[in-house]
Amino acid sequence: MTDQSIKIIDLKYARKFYIYIILVLFAFNTSAMASERIQLIPQKGSHQFPFFDQPTPVWHYNGQMPGPMIKGKVGSTLKVEVINRLDEPTSVHWHGMRIDNAMDGVPGVTQDPIQPGETFIYQLKLIEAGTFWYHPHLTAGEQMERGLKGVLIVEPLEKLPWSQDLVWLLDDWRLQKDGTIYPHFNTGHDLMHDGRWGNVVTVNGKWKPTYFASPGERIRLRLINGANARVFLPSLDGLDASLIAVDGKPVTTIFPFTQFYLAPGNRIDLDITIPIDAAGKTFTFSDSFTRKGFPLAAIKVNDEKPTQTPILNIPTAGNYIPATLFNKVDAAKVWDLNALRGGQYGIGWAINQKLWPDADAGNLKIGQPQKVVFKNSSSRLHPMHIHGAFFRVLEKNNRSAVEPFTRDTVLVGPRESITIGLIPEHNGIWLTHCHIQSHADAGMITTITVD
Ligand code: C2O
Ligand code: CU
């Protein structure tokens, strides 16, 4: 073989190699940009609770309780085709997600209601990883109570390092003796108090479920409060945990988990280490918000040999929406939260004396830091939620109380006032409301226009 022929062969390989590289790049690129198509079908069905002989009639997505867990990767677009098989109009809102305003799922604001038999396609561009959830935004006090809700997880491009990614959607139900759902929604009592609290608490639709882990294992646990009104204060039975994300966004600094008021709409992600000497043990997670605490779920540690606890590099959000940015912003908007006579139920819940739909909190400029005070003039709870944005808690009752994370929902206690800082980043008309569905149905909704 001459030198010449060797070169020719080399070149041939080189060309093949280039084509190979191009193909790989193409495949990677298309998978990262892939748009996945999913169907979500709100419909009537049933769910078996352990206490009753017959299943309970519920409304759910795709016949599943909770709805299917939707997963997608950052950079991709999800196409969710919602086919309404209920007898009434509905919509789907993607709680906490920053997406095109037209995809936000709010009838009367961002779209028309999806009528029975109609289909609406939501296109969700996934711009950040995190724990989100979805639920209707129409007659939500009833539709969510009957069971319509589910979790949406946006995954980072790299594989999550935890050996288990547990997702617990917390919820409560008001069930009657025969197992059916108490059919009066937004009763006078619910409206005057903290909304509709159920008598059965579930995790992923199950009553006190048990999950399994190995000694030494590191787990990511995502807790989502999907209840209509109930606040949870989860405790972990002595397990070591760090708070790594709040409302879908990584915390700015990771710190040990002590307590968190998980109000309707809130999510927290925890990094939990199972002790290496815990073989055979059961850890019971309970709720301690109400005087009489109760178990939510358990993690049972199997008898396997301990695995070595991995050391993980957990991402943080750095100094996202830094509190110092708001030092020079002096004029805060005050949103007064209080009860008011009027509205369709006679008892209304108002923001600045206005009841939805006659409410509008005005315009905010994109990119401009804003301070808002949620001033609770009532003696009830109001978990206030802003669509399409994260914000940072700066003050409680006019005292500095900067949180090391951002949120999309904050619990404002009786007579409490909470000052938040936000930087509007996305154009559109975004809803702001109390996430106690009965309060929202009774008027506690307004909009902010970001332009
Ligand atoms: Cu879960 Cu308008 O929100
Ligand atoms: Cu409220």
Side-chain angles (χ1 to χ4, degrees):
M1 222 185 263
T2 63
D3 280 347
Q4 187 70 15
S5 67
I6 288 174
K7 262 188 201 143
I8 290 167
I9 290 166
D10 271 349
L11 264 178
K12 258 195 202 155
Y13 276 115
R15 194 180 298 143
K16 268 196 188 151
F17 187 64
Y18 277 127
I19 291 171
Y20 178 67
I21 289 282
I22 287 166
L23 280 175
V24 166
L25 281 177
F26 184 72
F28 179 77
N29 208 26
T30 46
S31 76
M33 299 294 156
S35 78
E36 251 187 273
R37 236 192 145 84
I38 296 161
Q39 269 187 355
L40 211 51
I41 306 174
Q43 60 196 147
K44 289 185 178 176
S46 63
H47 182 69
Q48 185 66 56
F49 289 95
F51 328 99
F52 310 107
D53 297 335
Q54 314 96 288
T56 297
V58 297
W59 299 358
H60 50 191
Y61 293 110
N62 300 9
Q64 283 166 248
M65 177 61 62
M69 181 156 19
I70 301 178
K71 281 192 178 177
K73 279 217 187 302
V74 165
S76 65
T77 299
L78 289 178
K79 274 202 182 129
V80 188
E81 194 181 350
V82 177
I83 306 166
N84 184 7
R85 299 234 170 95
L86 300 170
D87 306 327
E88 59 179 74
T90 190
S91 78
V92 181
H93 166 63
W94 314 94
H95 183 119
M97 293 188 66
R98 301 192 293 167
I99 44 178
D100 280 350
N101 191 239
M103 297 293 129
D104 202 41
V106 184
V109 178
T110 65
Q111 67 171 95
D112 289 331
I114 312 170
Q115 297 297 337
E118 270 182 16
T119 296
F120 187 93
I121 299 174
Y122 290 94
Q123 300 230 30
L124 313 176
K125 266 191 234 127
L126 309 180
I127 62 167
E128 55 211 336
T131 309
F132 304 99
W133 65 298
Y134 59 90
H135 60 76
H137 225 296
L138 193 65
T139 341
E142 174 168 358
Q143 293 195 2
M144 287 173 67
E145 272 305 282
R146 292 199 183 270
L148 290 168
K149 62 198 72 175
V151 176
L152 192 154
I153 307 266
V154 183
E155 294 173 319
L157 288 180
E158 55 290 352
K159 200 176 163 291
L160 288 174
W162 290 272
S163 47
Q164 286 200 61
D165 189 2
L166 289 180
V167 179
W168 291 2
L169 176 60
L170 312 184
D171 199 0
D172 69 348
W173 306 75
R174 194 183 290 177
L175 300 176
Q176 307 185 100
K177 284 215 177 67
D178 63 356
T180 57
I181 293 172
Y182 181 67
H184 305 290
F185 302 89
N186 299 332
T187 61
H189 180 277
D190 294 350
L191 290 168
M192 278 188 283
H193 296 81
D194 296 316
R196 175 171 164 128
W197 287 53
N199 50 11
V200 173
V201 172
T202 56
V203 174
N204 297 335
K206 297 184 188 75
W207 183 64
K208 289 202 280 179
T210 299
Y211 296 82
F212 298 88
S214 304
E217 204 180 343
R218 255 177 109 158
I219 298 172
R220 182 182 183 125
L221 174 64
R222 304 173 194 253
L223 299 177
I224 300 116
N225 185 354
N228 180 313
R230 180 183 291 274
V231 178
F232 292 93
L233 184 59
S235 67
L236 311 189
D237 198 5
L239 270 177
D240 260 355
S242 302
L243 183 66
I244 59 172
V246 174
D247 288 349
K249 190 97 180 157
V251 295
T252 50
T253 30
I254 292 171
F255 55 91
F257 174 77
T258 47
Q259 62 165 31
F260 192 97
Y261 287 92
L262 196 72
N266 276 139
R267 291 88 67 211
I268 51 173
D269 292 27
L270 301 172
D271 168 41
I272 296 177
T273 301
I274 307 290
I276 44 168
D277 58 358
K281 258 189 137 178
T282 299
F283 294 96
T284 305
F285 289 57
S286 359
D287 176 64
S288 45
F289 185 77
T290 49
R291 224 170 305 144
K292 244 174 64 203
F294 55 86
L296 293 167
I299 292 187
K300 189 167 168 19
V301 186
N302 57 39
D303 286 321
E304 273 165 31
K305 270 215 291 335
T307 50
Q308 213 194 331
T309 302
I311 295 175
L312 307 181
N313 201 354
I314 301 166
T316 62
N319 206 9
Y320 180 67
I321 315 186
T324 48
L325 211 86
F326 301 92
N327 290 348
K328 289 198 206 91
V329 185
D330 33 34
K333 287 179 183 291
V334 179
W335 291 346
D336 186 80
L337 315 173
N338 211 348
L340 195 76
R341 277 188 196 288
Q344 59 169 316
Y345 301 102
I347 312 154
W349 280 103
I351 300 176
N352 286 347
Q353 283 75 54
K354 280 188 180 162
L355 297 178
W356 182 257
D358 305 312
D360 174 3
N363 292 51
L364 297 183
K365 276 269 157 294
I366 206 151
Q368 194 174 304
Q370 303 281 343
K371 272 208 280 197
V372 173
V373 184
F374 290 120
K375 183 174 177 291
N376 186 354
S377 301
S378 77
S379 53
R380 292 292 147 197
L381 302 169
H382 303 295
M384 297 305 294
H385 170 47
I386 301 182
H387 283 208
F390 293 112
F391 55 80
R392 191 184 280 268
V393 168
L394 304 171
E395 293 169 7
K396 272 194 185 147
N397 301 323
N398 302 315
R399 294 236 185 105
S400 172
V402 176
E403 290 181 331
F405 46 79
T406 56
R407 307 161 160 271
D408 60 44
T409 306
V410 65
L411 182 64
V412 191
R415 312 273 165 206
E416 192 174 48
S417 90
I418 292 188
T419 309
I420 60 157
L422 89 155
I423 307 162
E425 290 178 78
H426 305 274
N427 283 307
I429 303 176
W430 300 103
L431 228 60
T432 297
H433 62 93
C434 176
H435 219 289
I436 288 182
Q437 296 309 320
S438 311
H439 290 181
D441 285 352
M444 209 167 219
I445 301 179
T446 189
T447 53
I448 48 179
T449 303
V450 176
D451 50 19

